[in-house]
Amino acid sequence: MNNIAYIALGSNIGDRETYLRQAVASLHQHAAVTVTKVSSIYETDPVGYEDQAQFLNMAVEIKTSLNPFELLE
């Protein structure tokens, strides 16, 4: 695992924090991904189309052997 990637996660629907934690857990479960750092969770206002709920956002740092296109899949 020699590639480092940073992934931004966000949710503004339903149980936002649970969805973020499930996303991190799913990354942990992938055989070609190691989660190395997890940010705090921040609540932010929507941008652009503002008539929607606030977002919870976070970022994760991973190490992976996947190339960028494989990672997106």
Side-chain angles (χ1 to χ4, degrees):
M1 296 196 188
N2 47 1
N3 299 317
I4 296 175
Y6 299 91
I7 302 173
L9 303 172
S11 177
N12 74 333
I13 298 173
D15 189 350
R16 304 170 299 166
E17 187 171 345
T18 297
Y19 293 146
L20 293 177
R21 295 193 188 287
Q22 288 174 344
V24 174
S26 292
L27 288 168
H28 270 295
Q29 293 173 356
H30 194 289
V33 173
T34 300
V35 177
T36 53
K37 294 182 183 175
V38 178
S39 75
S40 299
I41 296 174
Y42 298 91
E43 189 167 47
T44 60
D45 292 330
V47 176
Y49 175 65
E50 297 177 7
D51 188 20
Q52 57 183 318
Q54 289 191 311
F55 283 82
L56 288 186
N57 296 304
M58 66 184 302
V60 294
E61 177 188 83
I62 65 166
K63 288 186 180 178
T64 183
S65 58
L66 301 173
N67 70 48
F69 296 106
E70 293 170 328
L71 182 59
L72 285 172
E73 287 181 25

